[in-house]
Amino acid sequence: MDILLIAGLWLDGSAWDDVAPALQALGHRPVPITLPGQGDGSALAALDDQVAAVLAAVDSASGTPMVVGHSAACTLAWLAADARPERVAKVAFVGGFPAADGQPYADFFELKDGVMPFPGWGPFEGPDSADLSEQARRDFTSAAIPVPAGVTKGVVRLTDERRFDVPVLVVCPEFAPAQAQEWIAAGDVPELAKAKHLDLVDIDSGHWPMITRPAELARLLAAAAPEV
């Protein structure tokens, strides 16, 4: 099936370069998405532009695709389920959770000159980045794309309750499935508390398994892909 791949902040579609061939070898059609403002050279993109790019990929997919969001882009994957509940076969969240209606998309770090640059490794020390080599860190930093403020400060709007019928997979890298279940039960992830079909799987990695565990991530995604 078509598996749409959306990377998180500061990354473009090339983040999936090592995952895509592994998915293809497992019989699927990977579709990495380069988002407006994260790889197309635009510093003026808004959240609506990124949502439109994801929906265009959903609409042009063969059959009903699985939509995979990483980190902040988990919200983009969920927005696709909200806008196209009948067209999305499954949503997978890698290392993150969707924002709720009315929340900012990714207002996490300081803006400079209208964009949010990669803040360096300080905020990610510990489990997030423990499995990244020094070379991987240097490569990430040099390739990191500042994300436009119109994206990070965009307000999430969810409107269709049918999104809760779409099956959800949570891939847990720097946190354990048990921790994720605790957060959901505590009300910290209200969107997933209402999901009717929810599975959680573990992956032994930091926050960027597409870099450090691409084959294993591909295997988990392929195993979870529904038959359509």
Side-chain angles (χ1 to χ4, degrees), residues 11-176:
L11 300 170
D12 62 13
S14 68
W16 305 100
D17 280 357
D18 293 331
V19 176
L23 282 174
Q24 193 165 16
L26 292 167
H28 297 282
R29 178 176 177 262
V31 183
I33 298 173
T34 289
L35 297 166
Q38 288 180 230
D40 68 346
S42 171
L44 300 177
L47 178 60
D48 285 348
D49 298 318
Q50 293 201 346
V51 174
V54 173
L55 294 182
V58 171
D59 292 340
S60 62
S62 175
T64 53
M66 181 163 75
V67 184
V68 180
H70 165 254
S71 193
C74 291
T75 297
L76 287 175
W78 196 231
L79 285 164
D82 180 71
R84 301 286 192 275
E86 74 291 345
R87 286 279 297 135
V88 174
K90 193 166 192 173
V91 172
F93 302 133
V94 180
F97 304 99
D101 181 66
Q103 291 184 339
Y105 172 66
D107 191 15
F108 302 141
F109 301 104
E110 182 181 356
L111 296 175
K112 296 180 181 178
D113 299 322
V115 296
M116 180 187 289
F118 177 60
W121 293 105
F124 303 106
E125 288 302 332
D128 282 352
S129 62
D131 63 339
L132 286 170
S133 67
E134 287 302 318
Q135 185 60 55
R137 291 186 184 215
R138 287 193 292 269
D139 291 345
F140 186 108
T141 302
S142 64
I145 302 165
V147 183
V151 172
T152 64
K153 289 187 171 294
V155 177
V156 174
R157 295 301 179 195
L158 298 162
T159 62
D160 196 327
E161 294 284 305
R162 291 179 297 165
R163 68 185 179 276
F164 299 121
D165 294 323
V166 177
V168 174
L169 172 73
V170 179
V171 179
C172 305
E174 73 273 20
F175 53 88

Side-chain angles (χ1 to χ4, degrees), residues 5 82 212 226:
L5 302 166
D82 180 71
T212 60

